[in-house]
Amino acid sequence: MSQDPSCIFCKIAAGQIPSRKVYEDDELIAFHDIAPWAPIHFLIVPKEHLASLYDTVPEKHQALLGKMLALAPELAREQGASNGFRTVVNTGADGGQEVPHLHMHVIGGPRPWAKG
Ligand code: AMP
């Protein structure tokens, strides 16, 4: 599994930087966003270093991407999102992506939210 030693989310996945973990398995880690927009805001992150959705290959990453999306409602419910939630995958500069390691935001909880 490729990793980038200078990548902050690779460091979180490797346990080298602390995070408030929501979920972990062999392929994925989920942790609370450090600057939440809403009462519930966590990130679902593949442990493999993929810079963005642009760097995924359909045949290779289809199952991983499906797993990320399938996990979102389960973890959102566990975190208390009982009235819906938003999933966001920012991709590249025009997509507003700040951390160059693929991640899915899961955002929920009672409104108003700070953003979104
Ligand atoms: P994006 O704009 O989609 O790349 O969003 C990156 C997200 O990562 C932002 O919402 C940040 O608040 C969040 N973030 C950055 N560093 C950390 C960290 N060390 N732990 C948790 N979340 C982080």
Side-chain angles (χ1 to χ4, degrees):
M1 190 184 297
S2 71
Q3 320 241 264
D4 177 346
S6 66
C7 167
I8 188 162
F9 285 178
C10 284
K11 287 181 185 171
I12 288 176
Q16 292 161 358
I17 289 183
S19 68
R20 289 177 54 222
K21 206 186 297 178
V22 168
Y23 174 86
E24 183 168 16
D25 66 23
D26 288 349
E27 294 180 301
L28 299 176
I29 186 167
F31 50 87
H32 290 283
D33 196 291
I34 206 166
W37 307 353
I40 297 163
H41 186 172
F42 60 89
L43 306 172
I44 300 178
V45 181
K47 289 185 172 178
E48 179 180 1
H49 184 78
L50 295 160
S52 81
L53 208 49
Y54 269 144
D55 293 79
T56 61
V57 179
E59 312 80 60
K60 192 172 171 197
H61 297 114
Q62 193 170 336
L64 181 73
L65 292 167
K67 187 171 166 182
M68 289 171 70
L69 197 56
L71 201 55
E74 188 182 324
L75 298 183
R77 273 202 197 92
E78 278 177 21
Q79 293 302 312
S82 55
N83 199 33
F85 60 91
R86 176 172 290 182
T87 47
V88 175
V89 182
N90 296 323
T91 303
D94 286 353
Q97 185 179 3
E98 289 172 6
V99 175
H101 180 129
L102 174 63
H103 53 280
M104 178 187 292
H105 295 255
V106 181
I107 305 160
R111 285 176 180 271
W113 297 349
K115 279 204 268 181

